[in-house]
Each structure stands twice: as C-alpha cells, then as structure tokens.
Amino acid sequence: MDRWQIEFSPPSDSTDDEPGDPIPYNIINNYFSIGVDASIAHRFHLMREKYPERFNSRMKNKLWYFEFGTSETFSATCKRLHEEIDIMCDGVALDLANRPPLEGIALLNIPSIYGGCNLWGEGSTNKKRVKKSPGTKRKDDKWSTDQGSSVSLASMDLHFAMQDIGDKLIEVVGMEGAMHAGQVRAGLRSSGRRLAQCSSVVIRTRKRLPMQIDGEPWMQPPCTIHITHKNQVPVLMGPPPSHKMSFMNMFKAKEKDILISAPSLTASGPSTTVVSIPVPSMPSTFPIKR
C-alpha cells in the first residue's frame, strides 16, 4: 500500500497571524480532505472534547454526525471553496473556476472514506492514464504550465481510471456539499466529482479552512501543501466482493465451499489433505414432527 508525505508551509504574503491547530500527522495512509467533510468532523471533534459523556455509544456518534451534517448543509461554511484554493497535479493546474462550485476536496489513497464509502466510485475494467487538455490562462505564472496556460484533466479518461492502493497514484475528488457526500454514502449517487489521478499534488489555500488526515481534523491557516509519494508497505487485503451488498442480500444464504484441513497417512509419512465441501443453503422453514 502506498504512503504519502504531506508538508505544510505558510505563504510569505499571509495576513492571518492567528496560529492554527497542531497538525496531527505528516503521513497520509488513507485520505486527506479540505472543506465540508472536514468541517463536520472538526465540529464533532470539538463537541466530543467538551462533552465526552455525550459520545459513549456508536449510535449516539452517528446521530451527532447526522446533526452536524444537516446543519452544515444549511450553513454551508465552505461555500465556493474552489475560489479559495489552487490545486496543481503533477505540475498541471486544475481549472476549478470554470467548473460547478465545490465545497470539499478529498485526496484518496484507499477506496474507503466516511465509514466504508467509495468516493472515487467504480470504473471500467481497463485502466487508462489521464490525458491533458488545454485550459484557460491564469494570472499567477507559478500556478500555470510552461506555455502560460493551465491544464485540466480530460473527464472521459478519468471516467475509465481505476483506483489501486499500490499504483503510486493518488485520486483527487471534489464534493458539491454535505448533501452530495451523504448521497454517496447512502448509495444514491455513484461517486464524487473526479478531478485528477496523479503522483504529486500541490495545494495553495487563501484563507483558514478545516482539514483532516485519516479522520483527525483541525483548522489550518492559509498555507501551501505539498503531497508526494513516500514509500509502500505490505498489507493484508481480503478479496473484493463478487456482488454489491444490499440490505436484502444480508439475509440470503448461499452455497459456500468450506475448506477442511485434515491429517492423513501416506507411504512417505504423515501429510495434510485439504477437502472442499459444498454446503447448501439452509431452508427458510423446517418440518415439525407431531
């Protein structure tokens, strides 16, 4: 599995002198996000630190998240986030100004966020590398290409891009708001808005914004963020499900093969035999003898 190095540096022309919260990590194992979801997580974190007795069960925690997510939907504290940040992927500046407004940006290393939600979504079976298409000019030459114009990534190529935890690529996804994230979590929408798939990311923020790394939130003053690939670590990973899980499928039993390891004697000595036994599904009703 890939691991990513993240570094924060304050801008030289910043007018925000108020110090921010301590940054929890400098390594990304799962995900990093800015905006609406980090705002909800930060409010949850502050409330739990102040009133720990109110967060003593999983159900209560989910209800608190639902309350904060609902209030964030109406307050929209990260409205028009795309106007306050610049994102550069592999030296290519993303054109966020000419796209629908966003309230959140997430960088995904694994296909799981928000308690098991795949924000990148499912792709085609054939993995393709993204291509570059010319965009519009920007005033800041540092955040433009060598030709003086920004470059956006082709949405058609991102539609077929597959996510892998060991391909040394990180996925950049945009969220339209708290309602969008909730719809993806509930399965009403397939994914967030795919923005890029790259090996390095540079983000520049212009105001104080909520951020989180692997579920640990904090408030960050204006800064420049550099994210690069650090290393890889071996992990144990289960096989992907053969079908999509639904509420009704949880109650349906299917035939499964049970592997039984049993010792046996051979001419050369003792050995182990593995037997595959098909187990039929259990009947829904049982006959009653009277």
Side-chain angles (χ1 to χ4, degrees):
M1 184 182 74
D2 297 322
R3 301 174 75 229
W4 300 82
Q5 181 80 32
I6 182 168
E7 299 176 349
F8 297 82
S9 58
S12 57
D13 56 348
S14 175
T15 58
D16 191 349
D17 297 331
E18 183 180 354
D21 301 331
I23 299 174
Y25 307 120
N26 60 353
I27 298 293
I28 302 174
N29 291 310
N30 302 319
Y31 59 87
F32 166 72
S33 67
I34 306 174
V36 57
D37 60 331
S39 176
I40 297 172
H42 186 251
R43 294 173 61 184
F44 178 90
H45 172 73
L46 293 180
M47 182 65 73
R48 184 171 56 181
E49 291 290 321
K50 189 175 183 180
Y51 305 102
E53 68 278 2
R54 300 181 183 180
F55 300 83
N56 53 10
S57 70
R58 180 179 298 181
M59 180 57 66
K60 288 183 179 180
N61 293 348
K62 290 183 178 180
L63 292 176
W64 278 110
Y65 261 110
F66 178 78
E67 178 181 342
F68 293 141
T70 303
S71 61
E72 179 65 29
T73 302
F74 294 101
S75 60
T77 59
C78 300
K79 187 177 181 179
R80 306 190 72 83
L81 174 70
H82 61 284
E83 296 181 354
E84 303 296 338
I85 64 175
D86 295 318
I87 304 177
M88 185 177 295
C89 301
D90 291 340
V92 176
L94 298 184
D95 188 9
L96 301 178
N98 296 325
R99 299 189 181 192
L102 298 175
E103 294 187 21
I105 300 292
L107 280 71
L108 309 175
N109 186 45
I110 63 174
S112 178
I113 191 175
Y114 311 148
C117 173
N118 186 358
L119 196 59
W120 180 256
E122 301 294 335
S124 175
T125 56
N126 297 324
K127 182 177 180 179
K128 296 183 179 181
R129 294 301 301 275
V130 296
K131 297 181 180 179
K132 301 175 182 179
S133 60
T136 57
K137 291 185 178 181
R138 301 178 62 92
K139 295 181 180 180
D140 194 344
D141 294 337
K142 182 179 179 181
W143 292 83
S144 62
T145 61
D146 296 336
Q147 291 78 14
S149 62
S150 67
V151 177
S152 61
L153 301 178
S155 59
M156 182 59 67
D157 296 319
L158 287 177
H159 177 74
F160 294 100
M162 297 291 293
Q163 187 179 21
D164 191 284
I165 64 173
D167 58 358
K168 298 183 180 181
L169 296 175
I170 194 167
E171 286 72 31
V172 184
V173 185
M175 291 167 288
E176 300 173 4
M179 183 66 70
H180 184 188
Q183 289 173 341
V184 175
R185 180 67 181 89
L188 301 179
R189 298 183 66 170
S190 60
S191 66
R193 185 176 300 159
R194 298 184 178 186
L195 300 178
Q197 188 181 48
C198 52
S199 58
S200 65
V201 183
V202 180
I203 303 175
R204 182 180 62 177
T205 62
R206 302 186 185 91
K207 72 173 186 178
R208 181 180 295 265
L209 293 171
M211 302 183 184
Q212 65 170 339
I213 298 178
D214 294 347
E216 295 293 333
W218 79 98
M219 291 297 295
Q220 178 64 37
C223 65
T224 300
I225 308 170
H226 297 265
I227 300 174
T228 56
H229 186 266
K230 180 178 176 61
N231 56 22
Q232 290 183 322
V233 294
V235 294
L236 294 176
M237 183 176 178
S242 58
H243 60 280
K244 292 185 178 180
M245 178 60 67
S246 64
F247 180 77
M248 295 304 299
N249 288 338
M250 295 173 59
F251 302 96
K252 294 181 179 179
K254 294 187 176 181
E255 293 188 359
K256 299 181 179 180
D257 289 343
I258 298 180
L259 298 181
I260 300 178
S261 178
S264 62
L265 294 177
T266 61
S268 58
S271 64
T272 302
T273 303
V274 179
V275 182
S276 178
I277 302 177
V279 179
S281 58
M282 299 298 294
S284 57
T285 58
F286 297 90
I288 299 177
K289 294 183 180 180
R290 297 181 181 179

